[in-house]
Amino acid sequence: MSNKIPYVNILQSAICIPVSDEVPIALDIKILPDKNIPAESFFGVWLLDVSGSMGGDRLENAKESLIEQIGILPDGTIFNLITFESKVNEIIKDVKITNKSRQEIIKKIQGITERGTTSLYTALEKSLEILRKYSRTNGSLAIRKIILISDGEPTDVHVRSGEENDPNYQKYFMLAKEALEYKSSIDTVGALGEHNVYLMYEIAKLSTGKYIFAENEEELKTKMIIATEQTARIAFSSPTLAVTSITGDIELEDAAQYKPTVIRMPFEKINKRESKAYLRSFEAGDTYQILVKGKIFIDKNNIQTETNVKVLELDFDFGKDGLRETKEIFITFSSDSSKFKLNQDINRKYANVFSQAEEIADCTIRGDAAATQKIQGDETKKID
């Protein structure tokens, strides 16, 4: 990962406003990681669906993709491969990538065949067990990733497609949140539109990973490779943003990323004055833009007018010791309407991005993978 704090710039909606008990504020945050970062080794767990529906070209393309990925993985990467069908199989566990181990891994991948049904929950649970053990033994690799590839509905812990209130979904989502606790994200690759889109999308979102849709067998192969290349170019893994109000209580809506792709990132309320959001990993050379919107509740009697008043502190933790930066947000309160200054463009932008995020949520519940990808942007192409 990078040892250099990225460029961070913040635009705000409220610049000079009248004094009020309730102050609306919107922020447009731009983050630019250094582009001159070499590929870096990481800890990875690949979960490959080998159930009957993955047979034929799907599985062969997935295997070819894995073999190509082995060739491009940086030396020192820790490689784990789990296949799942009616049961879960640990094919490769904690193998460090070297010239010698690459050949041994490829032989094992070539021997994989399809069979059975889709024990997706059990496979995800196994990946968390491996991740948990690595984290608790102080594994040295800062970048940690689980990659889940599937084309079907889970058959071990069933969920009902189109019914997001099915309580079984929460069992999967708890695993996604646990991955986040161990500083790992889960990238999900949904193959050919026959997977549970809502399940795969939410697993990725809740763990700050990527949801990737492969429309055909060839895309399955190439997008798996690109996702691995992107992981090796992560500049900052598991970054967080803490927002603290200086003048009173605060209520924040979701953060909404709109570059390079569209995704909502919910805030966790720490206390009345502080909230925290887990951000997507930042990759070398990409531009990240995030919108934050909320309200600050203040005591008007304690606000000094006609001067800059510090209202917020934004603490960026870039996931590595010493890589933190605090940005301060000031507002001028005035009784002179001729001085009022607002940047309404940020509010309009937030409304548009939030609307897109809502549309994505509707598409995932309907199971429309192509529409989901079209609105959010292709995670393997990073289209604006």
Side-chain angles (χ1 to χ4, degrees), residues 163-332:
E163 297 184 34
E164 72 273 23
N165 294 320
D166 182 340
N168 275 354
Y169 278 112
Q170 294 305 318
K171 296 179 181 179
Y172 290 90
F173 300 161
M174 289 298 291
L175 294 179
K177 292 174 183 177
E178 185 180 351
L180 197 57
E181 290 177 19
Y182 292 109
K183 298 186 180 299
S184 174
S185 56
I186 304 172
D187 287 355
T188 59
V189 183
L192 289 78
E194 297 166 8
H195 56 286
N196 186 313
V197 180
Y198 176 71
L199 176 64
M200 297 282 272
Y201 180 86
E202 289 294 317
I203 287 172
K205 186 183 81 172
L206 291 170
S207 66
T208 68
K210 300 174 180 177
Y211 166 74
I212 298 166
F213 170 50
E215 199 165 352
N216 52 52
E217 285 83 355
E218 187 60 33
E219 275 200 355
L220 178 61
K221 177 182 176 180
T222 57
K223 290 192 172 186
M224 286 171 60
I225 294 169
I226 293 170
T228 293
E229 290 174 333
Q230 290 171 340
T231 299
R233 286 183 49 78
I234 287 176
F236 302 102
S237 181
S238 303
T240 61
L241 167 61
V243 180
T244 304
S245 172
I246 307 302
T247 54
D249 297 347
I250 187 170
E251 284 184 5
L252 292 177
E253 300 176 22
D254 294 350
Q257 177 182 295
Y258 67 97
K259 283 187 178 181
T261 51
V262 175
I263 190 166
R264 287 169 64 180
M265 294 171 285
F267 273 97
E268 172 189 336
K269 193 167 186 175
I270 307 301
N271 54 53
K272 289 183 178 181
R273 291 197 174 201
E274 183 180 3
S275 293
K276 180 179 179 179
Y278 291 87
L279 308 179
R280 307 288 293 278
S281 294
F282 300 135
E283 293 165 21
D286 270 333
T287 298
Y288 292 83
Q289 288 198 248
I290 300 162
L291 294 163
V292 176
K293 189 175 182 182
K295 296 176 183 177
I296 308 169
F297 301 93
I298 64 175
D299 182 350
K300 292 192 295 184
N301 298 321
N302 293 330
I303 293 297
Q304 189 174 357
T305 59
E306 311 305 332
T307 187
N308 279 342
V309 177
K310 185 165 77 168
V311 294
L312 295 177
E313 284 186 352
L314 277 63
D315 181 26
F316 295 88
D317 184 341
F318 294 104
K320 197 170 184 179
D321 291 344
L323 290 182
R324 301 173 71 103
E325 183 164 21
T326 299
K327 295 285 188 179
E328 298 175 333
I329 304 298
F330 293 85
I331 294 177
T332 298

Side-chain angles (χ1 to χ4, degrees), residues 13-14 17 20 22-26 293-297 331 342 347:
S13 59
I17 58 174
S20 173
E22 190 176 295
V23 178
I25 188 152
K293 189 175 182 182
K295 296 176 183 177
I296 308 169
F297 301 93
I331 294 177
L342 292 170
N347 288 311

Side-chain angles (χ1 to χ4, degrees), residues 12-18 331-332 336-344:
Q12 62 193 76
S13 59
I15 301 165
C16 181
I17 58 174
I331 294 177
T332 298
D336 183 351
S337 60
S338 68
K339 295 180 179 178
F340 294 164
K341 188 175 181 182
L342 292 170
N343 185 347
Q344 295 287 13

